Amino acid sequence: MFAFARRTVFLACLSLPLAGCFTQTLTHGQVVSPDAIQDVQVGSSREQVELLLGSPSTTSNLDGEAYYYISQKSETVAFWSPSIVDQRVVAVYFDKDGYVKSVADYGIEDGKVFDYLGRKTRTGGADYGLLTQILRGAANPSIGL
């Protein structure tokens, strides 16, 4: 009896360090399945999109309305800091009449955001650096600083 208890305690102590080596996976946000993305057709209304994908994580009104469905998957091994395994943004762009103009599935791979469906990144507006802004201001002195 004493040998059984001693063996059990020994095995428990031996397996305790291994218990911390398990990986914990956490998913944040709204995960949209690829099948649901394929069901969204160009020309669908906002209501049809919300029925298929649910309400969006966030919306935008830049260059027409857009719905964004954002999700992120991270893994934590033992006591280490969590690392991002996958990050997705499904974007549904609408025209001015409220019908789907295009659908994009953006992800993160090697630190670069890219479109899984069309392999292109959608941009809106221009992003100027400090030097470019100064030179543009010098070329247009009518700003009236």
Side-chain angles (χ1 to χ4, degrees):
M1 182 75 172
F2 180 68
F4 175 73
R6 191 170 158 188
R7 192 177 317 134
T8 305
V9 170
F10 176 73
L11 289 175
C13 289
L14 187 62
S15 65
L16 190 59
L18 295 175
C21 294
F22 292 113
T23 302
Q24 180 181 14
T25 303
L26 297 173
T27 303
H28 303 281
Q30 187 170 0
V31 178
V32 179
S33 71
D35 295 333
I37 297 171
Q38 296 298 326
D39 290 341
V40 177
Q41 301 294 323
V42 174
S44 301
S45 67
R46 286 188 189 104
E47 293 80 17
Q48 290 172 327
V49 171
E50 288 181 15
L51 283 173
L52 290 170
L53 303 180
S55 61
S57 302
T58 187
T59 60
S60 171
N61 290 328
L62 181 67
D63 265 351
E65 192 170 359
Y67 284 178
Y68 297 103
Y69 299 88
I70 303 166
S71 67
Q72 184 181 61
K73 186 187 290 186
S74 62
E75 285 185 351
T76 306
V77 178
F79 52 85
W80 301 109
S81 298
S83 61
I84 297 173
V85 176
D86 190 26
Q87 186 168 305
R88 291 264 210 240
V89 176
V90 175
V92 181
Y93 301 103
F94 297 98
D95 60 11
K96 60 185 170 194
D97 297 326
Y99 294 102
V100 175
K101 180 171 45 175
S102 64
V103 179
D105 184 8
Y106 299 105
I108 188 164
E109 185 174 276
D110 300 329
K112 297 178 184 175
V113 177
F114 66 97
D115 182 3
Y116 279 106
L117 298 177
R119 300 284 189 234
K120 61 184 176 185
T121 303
R122 181 181 170 91
T123 60
D127 186 19
Y128 298 112
L130 178 65
L131 185 60
T132 305
Q133 291 178 14
I134 291 171
L135 293 176
R136 288 176 61 95
N140 188 6
S142 65
I143 295 175
L145 298 174

